[in-house]
Amino acid sequence: MTSALFAPLPLRAVTLPNRVVMAPMCQYSAQPSGPEAGVPNDWHVQHYGSRAVGRPGLILVEATGVSPEGRISPYDLGLWNDAQEAGHRRLAALMRAQGVVPGIQLAHAGRKASTGRPWDGGGALAPDAELGWQVLAPSPVPFEDGAPRPETLSPAQVADVVEQFAAAARRAVAAGYEVVEVHAAHGYLLHQFLSPLSNHRTDEYGGSFEHRARLVLDVVDAVRGAVGEDVPVLVRLSATDWVEPEGWTGDDTVRLAGMLRDHGVDVVHVSTGGNVPDATIPVGPGYQVPFAARVRHEAGVTTAAVGLVRDPEHAESVVADGEADLVALGRELLLDPYWPVRAARELGADWSLPPQYDRAESLARRDTRVAV
């Protein structure tokens, strides 16, 4: 049997060995301050190392701040200084050693920055709170009631954001990442510029669709220039705010995806939501896959689908039926780091654990007692 999910996918100078992607998932586990702030540590080494042993084709390291104020929380990873770059170099090497393509998601949280960790109650940290800071946004519109009022980015500050993404992308490649993803989804800064629900500007970065899309395209151009022509660039989009017709829509996403393709983006990673707290989202298995399928067919761009695709047969059908080129898993890989190997076994594909672990699995399948 030939599995579509376990077929390789060439992207520029990189070839993914299969179509399973570990989606970026924040760990909120870096030091929040001091010289180790934002630096990958032992938690990140074991977390990404164990998933690399499970051998998805691509691992995208969690949303990594391009600047201190761009982090979602003080406990996020960053990539704006040498110490952080050195820590990321170790993560990238761990993944590559297991035959996994290492990638990273670069992000700026905008008005959703300066928050506590989820298991500490989450919530916005006031600018004068311990570990808090002044959040930035396209317009002075808080994310939710009670959140601090954002500071409106000036045109000069917008230009700074573009350069911060470019600088982080250069560091990412220097650290050994072979894929770079720009985070423009889930209500973070670039998504905030895209959506009329959060962007009330009247300058060249607000108003019309073309103006609201300007910052994303500026960032993509800067990142492409920073990483060169051989490195695949992905963009993660929320295909809808789930507030139509007032918010960002599926039609907008298809239109933007075509523009991203023309600006050198290799894959559009299609998610949804996150820009308003009260959206009604019909969550269920594969609920976002139709958006990825629409982007793939109407914009003519390679896509990654994500969102409660848990069953190997379902993931296989997403790729085999042409709904998406890649399937990204999040929580499923937190619960089962070896999901790709289990999926390969169920689908009859040739994909196994590293030899240190595969030997134990082979013995278990033989159902015999052998001293190890």
Side-chain angles (χ1 to χ4, degrees), residues 197-278:
L197 298 177
S198 46
N199 184 347
H200 299 172
R201 300 172 76 101
T202 57
D203 63 2
E204 66 269 33
Y205 291 99
S208 69
F209 172 92
E210 291 82 2
H211 285 185
R212 286 183 282 115
R214 186 188 301 270
L215 179 57
V216 174
L217 296 177
D218 286 352
V219 167
V220 163
D221 289 345
V223 168
R224 170 54 67 207
V227 303
E229 291 301 315
D230 289 342
V231 175
V233 173
L234 283 60
V235 174
R236 197 173 203 187
L237 295 177
S238 282
T240 176
D241 284 333
W242 297 107
V243 182
E244 297 195 18
E246 298 88 355
W248 183 257
T249 70
D251 289 344
D252 293 329
T253 298
V254 170
R255 184 178 177 187
L256 177 60
M259 299 166 73
L260 292 171
R261 178 201 62 218
D262 293 343
H263 281 254
V265 169
D266 301 287
V267 179
V268 176
H269 186 175
V270 184
S271 189
T272 65
N275 196 38
V276 291
D278 54 356

Coordinates of all heavy atoms in Angstrom, one line a residue, residues 197-278:
L197 N -12.1 44.0 12.4 CA -12.6 44.0 13.8 C -11.6 44.6 14.7 O -11.9 45.2 15.8 CB -13.0 42.6 14.3 CG -14.1 41.9 13.5 CD1 -14.3 40.5 14.1 CD2 -15.4 42.7 13.6
S198 N -10.3 44.5 14.4 CA -9.2 45.0 15.3 C -8.4 46.1 14.6 O -7.6 46.8 15.3 CB -8.3 43.8 15.6 OG -8.0 43.0 14.5
N199 N -8.5 46.3 13.3 CA -7.8 47.4 12.6 C -8.7 48.5 12.2 O -9.5 48.3 11.3 CB -7.1 46.8 11.4 CG -6.2 47.8 10.7 OD1 -6.3 49.0 10.9 ND2 -5.4 47.2 9.8
H200 N -8.6 49.6 12.9 CA -9.5 50.8 12.6 C -8.6 51.9 12.1 O -9.1 53.1 12.1 CB -10.2 51.2 13.9 CG -11.1 50.2 14.5 ND1 -11.7 50.3 15.7 CD2 -11.5 49.0 14.0 CE1 -12.5 49.3 16.0 NE2 -12.3 48.4 15.0
R201 N -7.5 51.6 11.5 CA -6.6 52.6 11.0 C -7.1 53.3 9.7 O -7.9 52.7 9.0 CB -5.2 52.1 10.7 CG -4.5 51.5 11.9 CD -3.2 50.7 11.6 NE -2.2 51.7 11.3 CZ -1.2 52.0 12.1 NH1 -1.1 51.4 13.3 NH2 -0.2 52.8 11.8
T202 N -6.7 54.5 9.5 CA -7.0 55.2 8.2 C -5.8 55.5 7.4 O -5.9 56.2 6.4 CB -7.8 56.5 8.6 OG1 -7.0 57.3 9.4 CG2 -9.1 56.2 9.3
D203 N -4.6 55.0 7.8 CA -3.4 55.2 7.0 C -3.2 54.1 6.0 O -4.1 53.3 5.7 CB -2.2 55.4 7.9 CG -1.9 54.2 8.7 OD1 -2.5 53.2 8.6 OD2 -0.9 54.3 9.5
E204 N -2.0 54.0 5.5 CA -1.7 52.9 4.5 C -1.7 51.5 5.0 O -1.6 50.5 4.3 CB -0.3 53.2 3.8 CG 0.9 53.0 4.8 CD 1.3 54.3 5.5 OE1 0.4 55.1 5.8 OE2 2.5 54.5 5.7
Y205 N -1.9 51.3 6.3 CA -2.1 50.0 6.9 C -3.5 49.7 7.4 O -3.7 48.7 8.2 CB -1.1 49.9 8.1 CG 0.4 49.8 7.6 CD1 1.2 51.0 7.7 CD2 0.9 48.7 7.1 CE1 2.5 51.0 7.2 CE2 2.2 48.6 6.7 CZ 3.0 49.8 6.7 OH 4.3 49.8 6.3
G206 N -4.4 50.5 7.0 CA -5.8 50.3 7.4 C -6.8 50.7 6.4 O -6.5 51.3 5.4
G207 N -8.1 50.2 6.6 CA -9.1 50.6 5.7 C -9.4 49.5 4.7 O -10.1 48.5 5.0
S208 N -8.9 49.7 3.5 CA -9.2 48.7 2.4 C -8.5 47.4 2.7 O -7.5 47.3 3.5 CB -8.7 49.3 1.1 OG -7.3 49.3 1.1
F209 N -8.9 46.3 2.0 CA -8.3 45.0 2.1 C -6.8 45.1 1.8 O -6.0 44.6 2.5 CB -9.0 44.1 1.1 CG -8.3 42.7 1.0 CD1 -8.6 41.7 1.8 CD2 -7.2 42.5 0.1 CE1 -8.0 40.4 1.7 CE2 -6.6 41.3 0.0 CZ -6.9 40.3 0.8
E210 N -6.5 45.8 0.7 CA -5.0 46.0 0.3 C -4.2 46.6 1.4 O -3.1 46.2 1.7 CB -4.9 46.7 -1.0 CG -5.5 46.0 -2.2 CD -7.0 46.2 -2.4 OE1 -7.6 46.8 -1.5 OE2 -7.5 45.6 -3.3
H211 N -4.8 47.6 2.1 CA -4.0 48.3 3.1 C -3.9 47.4 4.4 O -2.8 47.4 5.0 CB -4.7 49.6 3.5 CG -4.5 50.7 2.4 ND1 -4.9 52.0 2.6 CD2 -3.8 50.7 1.2 CE1 -4.6 52.7 1.5 NE2 -3.9 51.9 0.7
R212 N -4.9 46.7 4.7 CA -4.9 45.8 5.9 C -3.9 44.7 5.7 O -3.3 44.1 6.6 CB -6.3 45.3 6.2 CG -7.2 46.4 6.9 CD -8.5 45.9 7.3 NE -9.4 45.8 6.2 CZ -9.9 44.6 5.7 NH1 -9.5 43.5 6.3 NH2 -10.7 44.6 4.7
A213 N -3.8 44.3 4.4 CA -2.8 43.2 4.1 C -1.4 43.6 3.9 O -0.5 42.8 3.8 CB -3.3 42.5 2.8
R214 N -1.2 44.9 3.9 CA 0.2 45.4 3.6 C 1.2 44.9 4.6 O 2.3 44.5 4.2 CB 0.1 47.0 3.6 CG 1.5 47.6 3.1 CD 1.4 49.1 3.3 NE 0.4 49.7 2.6 CZ 0.5 50.2 1.3 NH1 1.6 50.0 0.7 NH2 -0.6 50.7 0.7
L215 N 0.9 44.9 5.9 CA 2.0 44.5 6.8 C 2.4 43.1 6.7 O 3.5 42.7 6.7 CB 1.5 44.8 8.3 CG 2.5 44.4 9.3 CD1 3.9 45.1 9.2 CD2 1.9 44.7 10.7
V216 N 1.4 42.2 6.5 CA 1.7 40.8 6.3 C 2.6 40.6 5.1 O 3.6 39.9 5.1 CB 0.4 39.9 6.1 CG1 0.8 38.5 5.8 CG2 -0.4 40.0 7.4
L217 N 2.3 41.3 4.0 CA 3.1 41.2 2.8 C 4.5 41.8 3.0 O 5.5 41.2 2.5 CB 2.4 41.8 1.6 CG 1.1 41.2 1.2 CD1 0.4 42.0 0.1 CD2 1.3 39.7 0.8
D218 N 4.6 42.9 3.7 CA 5.9 43.5 4.0 C 6.7 42.6 4.8 O 7.9 42.4 4.6 CB 5.7 44.8 4.8 CG 5.2 46.0 3.9 OD1 5.1 45.8 2.7 OD2 4.9 47.0 4.5
V219 N 6.1 41.9 5.8 CA 6.8 40.9 6.7 C 7.3 39.8 5.8 O 8.5 39.3 5.9 CB 6.0 40.5 7.8 CG1 6.6 39.3 8.5 CG2 5.8 41.6 8.8
V220 N 6.4 39.2 5.0 CA 6.8 38.1 4.1 C 8.0 38.5 3.2 O 8.9 37.7 3.1 CB 5.6 37.6 3.3 CG1 6.0 36.7 2.2 CG2 4.6 36.9 4.3
D221 N 7.9 39.6 2.6 CA 9.0 40.1 1.7 C 10.3 40.2 2.5 O 11.4 39.8 2.0 CB 8.7 41.4 1.1 CG 7.6 41.3 0.0 OD1 7.3 40.2 -0.4 OD2 7.0 42.4 -0.3
A222 N 10.2 40.7 3.7 CA 11.4 40.9 4.5 C 12.0 39.5 5.0 O 13.2 39.3 5.0 CB 11.1 41.8 5.8
V223 N 11.1 38.6 5.4 CA 11.6 37.3 5.8 C 12.2 36.5 4.6 O 13.2 35.9 4.7 CB 10.4 36.5 6.4 CG1 10.7 35.0 6.6 CG2 10.0 37.1 7.8
R224 N 11.5 36.6 3.5 CA 12.1 35.9 2.3 C 13.5 36.5 2.0 O 14.4 35.7 1.7 CB 11.1 36.1 1.1 CG 11.7 35.7 -0.3 CD 12.2 34.3 -0.3 NE 11.1 33.3 -0.2 CZ 11.3 32.1 0.3 NH1 12.5 31.7 0.7 NH2 10.3 31.2 0.4
G225 N 13.6 37.8 2.0 CA 14.9 38.4 1.8 C 16.0 38.0 2.8 O 17.2 37.8 2.5
A226 N 15.5 37.7 4.1 CA 16.4 37.4 5.1 C 16.9 35.9 5.0 O 18.0 35.6 5.4 CB 15.8 37.6 6.5
V227 N 16.0 35.0 4.6 CA 16.4 33.6 4.6 C 16.9 33.1 3.3 O 17.5 32.0 3.2 CB 15.1 32.7 5.0 CG1 14.6 33.2 6.4 CG2 14.0 32.8 4.0
G228 N 16.8 33.9 2.2 CA 17.3 33.4 0.9 C 16.2 32.6 0.2 O 15.1 32.3 0.7
E229 N 16.6 32.2 -1.0 CA 15.7 31.5 -1.9 C 15.5 30.0 -1.6 O 14.6 29.4 -2.1 CB 16.2 31.7 -3.3 CG 16.0 33.1 -3.8 CD 14.6 33.6 -3.8 OE1 13.7 32.9 -4.2 OE2 14.4 34.7 -3.3
D230 N 16.4 29.4 -0.8 CA 16.3 27.9 -0.6 C 15.5 27.5 0.6 O 15.1 26.4 0.7 CB 17.7 27.4 -0.4 CG 18.6 27.4 -1.6 OD1 18.0 27.5 -2.7 OD2 19.8 27.3 -1.5
V231 N 15.2 28.5 1.5 CA 14.4 28.1 2.7 C 12.9 28.3 2.5 O 12.5 29.4 2.1 CB 14.9 29.0 3.9 CG1 14.0 28.8 5.1 CG2 16.4 28.8 4.1
P232 N 12.1 27.3 2.7 CA 10.7 27.4 2.6 C 10.1 28.4 3.6 O 10.5 28.3 4.8 CB 10.1 26.0 2.8 CG 11.3 25.1 2.6 CD 12.5 25.9 3.0
V233 N 9.2 29.2 3.2 CA 8.5 30.1 4.1 C 7.0 29.8 4.2 O 6.4 29.6 3.1 CB 8.7 31.6 3.7 CG1 7.8 32.5 4.5 CG2 10.2 32.0 3.8
L234 N 6.5 29.5 5.4 CA 5.1 29.3 5.6 C 4.5 30.5 6.2 O 5.1 31.2 6.9 CB 5.0 28.0 6.5 CG 5.2 26.6 6.0 CD1 6.6 26.4 5.4 CD2 4.9 25.6 7.1
V235 N 3.2 30.6 6.0 CA 2.4 31.6 6.7 C 1.2 30.9 7.3 O 0.5 30.2 6.6 CB 2.0 32.8 5.8 CG1 1.0 33.7 6.6 CG2 3.2 33.5 5.3
R236 N 1.0 31.1 8.6 CA -0.2 30.6 9.3 C -1.3 31.7 9.3 O -1.0 32.8 9.8 CB 0.1 30.1 10.7 CG -1.0 29.2 11.2 CD -0.7 28.6 12.5 NE -1.5 27.3 12.7 CZ -1.5 26.6 13.8 NH1 -0.8 27.0 14.9 NH2 -2.2 25.5 13.9
L237 N -2.5 31.4 8.8 CA -3.6 32.3 8.7 C -4.8 31.7 9.5 O -5.0 30.5 9.5 CB -4.0 32.5 7.3 CG -3.0 33.2 6.3 CD1 -3.7 33.3 4.9 CD2 -2.7 34.6 6.8
S238 N -5.5 32.6 10.1 CA -6.9 32.2 10.5 C -7.8 32.5 9.4 O -8.0 33.7 8.9 CB -7.3 33.0 11.7 OG -6.7 32.5 12.9
A239 N -8.4 31.5 8.8 CA -9.2 31.6 7.6 C -10.5 32.4 7.8 O -11.1 33.0 6.9 CB -9.6 30.3 7.0
T240 N -10.9 32.5 9.1 CA -12.1 33.3 9.4 C -12.1 33.7 10.8 O -11.5 33.0 11.7 CB -13.4 32.5 9.1 OG1 -14.5 33.3 9.6 CG2 -13.4 31.2 9.9
D241 N -12.6 34.9 11.1 CA -12.8 35.3 12.5 C -14.0 34.7 13.1 O -14.3 34.8 14.3 CB -13.0 36.8 12.6 CG -11.7 37.6 12.4 OD1 -10.6 37.1 12.7 OD2 -11.8 38.8 11.9
W242 N -14.8 33.9 12.3 CA -16.1 33.4 12.7 C -17.1 34.5 13.1 O -18.0 34.3 14.0 CB -15.9 32.4 13.9 CG -15.2 31.1 13.5 CD1 -13.9 30.8 13.9 CD2 -15.6 30.0 12.7 NE1 -13.5 29.6 13.4 CE2 -14.5 29.1 12.6 CE3 -16.8 29.7 12.0 CZ2 -14.6 27.9 11.9 CZ3 -16.8 28.6 11.3 CH2 -15.8 27.7 11.2
V243 N -16.9 35.7 12.6 CA -17.8 36.8 12.7 C -18.0 37.4 11.4 O -17.4 38.4 11.0 CB -17.2 37.8 13.7 CG1 -18.2 39.0 13.9 CG2 -16.8 37.2 15.0
E244 N -18.9 36.8 10.6 CA -19.1 37.2 9.2 C -20.4 37.9 9.1 O -21.4 37.5 9.7 CB -18.9 36.0 8.2 CG -17.6 35.4 8.3 CD -17.3 34.4 7.1 OE1 -18.0 34.5 6.1 OE2 -16.4 33.6 7.2
P245 N -20.5 38.9 8.3 CA -19.5 39.4 7.3 C -18.6 40.5 7.9 O -17.8 41.0 7.1 CB -20.4 40.0 6.2 CG -21.6 40.6 6.9 CD -21.8 39.6 8.1
E246 N -18.8 40.9 9.1 CA -18.0 42.0 9.7 C -16.5 41.8 9.8 O -15.7 42.7 9.6 CB -18.6 42.4 11.0 CG -20.0 42.9 11.0 CD -21.0 41.7 11.2 OE1 -20.5 40.5 11.2 OE2 -22.2 42.0 11.3
G247 N -16.1 40.5 10.1 CA -14.7 40.2 10.3 C -14.0 39.7 9.1 O -14.4 39.9 8.0
W248 N -12.8 39.1 9.4 CA -12.0 38.5 8.3 C -12.8 37.2 7.9 O -13.3 36.5 8.7 CB -10.7 38.2 8.9 CG -9.7 37.6 7.9 CD1 -9.4 36.2 7.8 CD2 -9.0 38.2 6.9 NE1 -8.4 36.1 6.8 CE2 -8.2 37.3 6.2 CE3 -8.9 39.6 6.5 CZ2 -7.3 37.6 5.2 CZ3 -8.0 39.9 5.5 CH2 -7.2 38.9 4.8
T249 N -12.8 37.0 6.6 CA -13.6 35.9 6.0 C -12.8 34.9 5.2 O -11.7 35.2 4.8 CB -14.7 36.5 5.1 OG1 -14.1 37.0 3.9 CG2 -15.5 37.6 5.8
G250 N -13.5 33.8 4.8 CA -12.9 32.8 4.0 C -12.5 33.4 2.6 O -11.5 33.1 2.0
D251 N -13.4 34.3 2.1 CA -13.1 34.9 0.8 C -11.8 35.8 0.9 O -11.0 35.8 0.0 CB -14.2 35.8 0.4 CG -15.5 35.1 -0.1 OD1 -15.3 33.8 -0.3 OD2 -16.5 35.7 -0.1
D252 N -11.7 36.5 2.0 CA -10.5 37.3 2.3 C -9.2 36.4 2.3 O -8.2 36.7 1.7 CB -10.6 38.0 3.6 CG -11.6 39.1 3.6 OD1 -11.9 39.7 2.6 OD2 -12.2 39.4 4.7
T253 N -9.4 35.3 2.9 CA -8.2 34.3 3.1 C -7.8 33.8 1.7 O -6.6 33.8 1.4 CB -8.6 33.2 4.0 OG1 -8.9 33.7 5.3 CG2 -7.4 32.2 4.1
V254 N -8.7 33.4 0.9 CA -8.4 32.9 -0.5 C -7.6 34.0 -1.2 O -6.6 33.8 -1.9 CB -9.6 32.5 -1.2 CG1 -9.3 32.2 -2.7 CG2 -10.2 31.2 -0.5
R255 N -8.2 35.2 -1.2 CA -7.5 36.4 -1.9 C -6.1 36.6 -1.4 O -5.2 36.8 -2.2 CB -8.4 37.6 -1.7 CG -7.9 38.8 -2.5 CD -8.9 40.0 -2.3 NE -8.5 41.2 -2.9 CZ -9.1 42.4 -2.8 NH1 -10.1 42.5 -2.0 NH2 -8.6 43.4 -3.4
L256 N -6.0 36.6 0.0 CA -4.6 36.9 0.5 C -3.7 35.7 0.2 O -2.5 36.0 -0.1 CB -4.7 37.1 2.0 CG -3.4 37.2 2.8 CD1 -2.7 38.5 2.3 CD2 -3.6 37.3 4.3
A257 N -4.2 34.5 0.2 CA -3.3 33.4 -0.1 C -2.7 33.4 -1.4 O -1.5 33.1 -1.7 CB -4.1 32.1 0.1
G258 N -3.5 33.9 -2.4 CA -2.9 34.1 -3.8 C -1.8 35.1 -3.8 O -0.8 35.0 -4.5
M259 N -2.0 36.2 -3.0 CA -1.0 37.2 -2.9 C 0.3 36.7 -2.2 O 1.4 37.0 -2.7 CB -1.5 38.4 -2.2 CG -2.7 39.1 -2.9 SD -3.7 40.3 -1.8 CE -2.5 41.6 -1.7
L260 N 0.1 35.9 -1.2 CA 1.2 35.3 -0.5 C 2.0 34.4 -1.4 O 3.3 34.4 -1.4 CB 0.7 34.6 0.7 CG 0.2 35.4 1.9 CD1 -0.5 34.5 2.9 CD2 1.2 36.3 2.5
R261 N 1.3 33.6 -2.2 CA 2.0 32.8 -3.2 C 2.8 33.6 -4.1 O 4.0 33.3 -4.4 CB 0.9 32.0 -4.0 CG 1.4 31.1 -5.1 CD 0.3 30.9 -6.1 NE -0.1 32.1 -6.8 CZ -1.4 32.4 -7.1 NH1 -2.4 31.6 -6.9 NH2 -1.6 33.6 -7.7
D262 N 2.3 34.7 -4.6 CA 3.1 35.6 -5.5 C 4.2 36.3 -4.8 O 5.2 36.7 -5.5 CB 2.1 36.6 -6.1 CG 1.1 36.0 -7.0 OD1 1.3 34.8 -7.4 OD2 0.1 36.7 -7.3
H263 N 4.2 36.3 -3.5 CA 5.3 37.0 -2.7 C 6.3 35.9 -2.2 O 7.1 36.2 -1.4 CB 4.8 37.8 -1.6 CG 4.2 39.1 -2.0 ND1 4.9 40.3 -1.7 CD2 3.1 39.5 -2.7 CE1 4.2 41.3 -2.2 NE2 3.2 40.9 -2.8
G264 N 6.2 34.7 -2.7 CA 7.2 33.7 -2.4 C 6.9 32.8 -1.2 O 7.8 32.1 -0.7
V265 N 5.7 32.8 -0.8 CA 5.3 31.9 0.3 C 5.0 30.5 -0.3 O 4.4 30.3 -1.3 CB 4.0 32.4 1.0 CG1 3.4 31.3 2.0 CG2 4.4 33.6 1.8
D266 N 5.6 29.5 0.4 CA 5.5 28.1 -0.1 C 4.3 27.3 0.4 O 3.8 26.4 -0.3 CB 6.8 27.4 0.3 CG 8.0 28.1 -0.3 OD1 8.2 28.0 -1.5 OD2 8.7 28.7 0.5
V267 N 3.9 27.6 1.6 CA 2.8 26.8 2.2 C 1.9 27.8 3.1 O 2.5 28.6 3.8 CB 3.3 25.7 3.2 CG1 2.1 25.0 3.8 CG2 4.1 24.7 2.4
V268 N 0.6 27.7 2.9 CA -0.3 28.5 3.8 C -0.9 27.4 4.8 O -1.5 26.4 4.4 CB -1.4 29.2 3.0 CG1 -2.4 29.8 4.0 CG2 -0.8 30.2 2.1
H269 N -0.6 27.7 6.1 CA -1.0 26.8 7.2 C -2.4 27.4 7.7 O -2.4 28.4 8.3 CB 0.1 26.9 8.2 CG -0.1 25.9 9.4 ND1 0.9 25.8 10.3 CD2 -1.1 25.1 9.7 CE1 0.5 24.9 11.2 NE2 -0.7 24.5 10.9
V270 N -3.4 26.6 7.4 CA -4.8 27.2 7.6 C -5.4 26.8 8.9 O -5.8 25.6 9.1 CB -5.7 26.8 6.4 CG1 -7.0 27.5 6.5 CG2 -5.0 27.2 5.1
S271 N -5.6 27.8 9.8 CA -6.3 27.6 11.0 C -7.5 28.6 11.0 O -7.9 29.1 9.9 CB -5.4 27.9 12.2 OG -6.0 27.5 13.4
T272 N -8.2 28.8 12.1 CA -9.3 29.8 12.2 C -9.3 30.4 13.6 O -8.7 29.9 14.5 CB -10.6 29.1 11.9 OG1 -10.9 28.2 13.0 CG2 -10.7 28.4 10.6
G273 N -10.0 31.6 13.6 CA -10.4 32.2 14.9 C -9.3 32.8 15.7 O -8.1 33.0 15.2
G274 N -9.6 33.3 16.9 CA -8.6 33.8 17.8 C -8.6 35.3 18.0 O -7.9 35.8 18.9
N275 N -9.3 36.0 17.1 CA -9.2 37.5 17.1 C -10.2 38.2 18.0 O -10.0 39.3 18.3 CB -9.2 38.0 15.7 CG -8.7 39.5 15.6 OD1 -7.8 39.8 16.3 ND2 -9.4 40.3 14.8
V276 N -11.3 37.5 18.3 CA -12.3 38.0 19.2 C -12.7 36.9 20.2 O -12.8 35.7 19.8 CB -13.6 38.5 18.4 CG1 -13.2 39.8 17.6 CG2 -14.1 37.4 17.5
P277 N -12.9 37.3 21.4 CA -13.1 36.3 22.5 C -14.5 35.6 22.4 O -14.7 34.5 23.0 CB -12.9 37.0 23.8 CG -13.3 38.4 23.4 CD -12.9 38.6 22.0
D278 N -15.5 36.2 21.8 CA -16.9 35.7 21.9 C -17.3 35.1 20.6 O -18.6 34.9 20.4 CB -17.8 36.9 22.3 CG -17.7 38.1 21.4 OD1 -16.8 38.1 20.5 OD2 -18.5 39.0 21.5

